[in-house]
Amino acid sequence: MKNFFYLEGAYLILGGIILLVTLFVGTRPFMSKGAAKRGLLWVTLVLAIFIGAHYKMTTNRMAEVKMAFENDKPIICESRMQRKVAQTVNIQKSKEWSLEGDNFVSPNYTRPFFIARCIVK
């Protein structure tokens, strides 16, 4: 569950803001009676489906990356350290990389790379 809040926290906050906007608009005098209830119901349903689908896709990709790493396949990770020169880092088990929890670490890099920001090459 901790992983869910870590991966989807920003989307949950945005979803909460969207629900507040829906509630505000649904309670305006020009809206019909019951619009707030119906609006909140449908917007909550759509947000839950989208956030759940995003979480499922992300965790599936993470599992795929872990399996590829164990099989020594090349993996591409997003590098936020240098945005102008090298925007990606190539990771491979045979090139001094290791997997600690959900992070790729190497003695050649000062920061770890989170597995959710990686894809199999």
Side-chain angles (χ1 to χ4, degrees):
M1 196 61 158
K2 174 188 153 201
N3 210 15
F4 176 77
F5 289 116
Y6 184 71
L7 291 171
E8 304 300 322
Y11 298 115
L12 291 171
I13 291 169
L14 288 173
I17 292 169
I18 291 169
L19 287 173
L20 288 174
V21 169
T22 303
L23 181 63
F24 178 77
V25 172
T27 57
R28 296 299 91 199
F30 56 84
M31 297 298 288
S32 64
K33 278 198 178 255
K37 276 187 193 177
R38 285 192 313 267
L40 286 174
L41 173 74
W42 287 107
V43 171
T44 302
L45 181 67
V46 168
L47 288 172
I49 290 170
F50 285 164
I51 291 172
H54 183 264
Y55 178 72
K56 183 72 173 156
M57 289 186 320
T58 302
T59 53
N60 287 344
R61 187 179 66 245
M62 288 170 64
E64 181 184 339
V65 167
K66 279 184 183 180
M67 188 178 299
F69 181 74
E70 293 302 323
N71 294 330
D72 200 32
K73 293 181 180 176
I75 296 167
I76 300 172
C77 287
E78 174 187 23
S79 175
R80 295 182 175 181
M81 191 176 293
Q82 296 176 345
R83 285 290 197 188
K84 294 180 181 167
V85 180
Q87 293 182 350
T88 60
V89 174
N90 292 321
I91 293 176
Q92 205 164 358
K93 193 173 191 176
S94 61
K95 295 181 181 177
E96 299 182 11
W97 285 94
S98 62
L99 187 60
E100 293 180 2
D102 286 335
N103 292 308
F104 289 117
V105 293
S106 172
N108 302 324
Y109 285 86
T110 57
R111 63 182 290 274
F113 292 92
F114 188 52
I115 197 170
R117 306 278 181 250
C118 303
I119 59 171
V120 179
K121 190 172 186 180

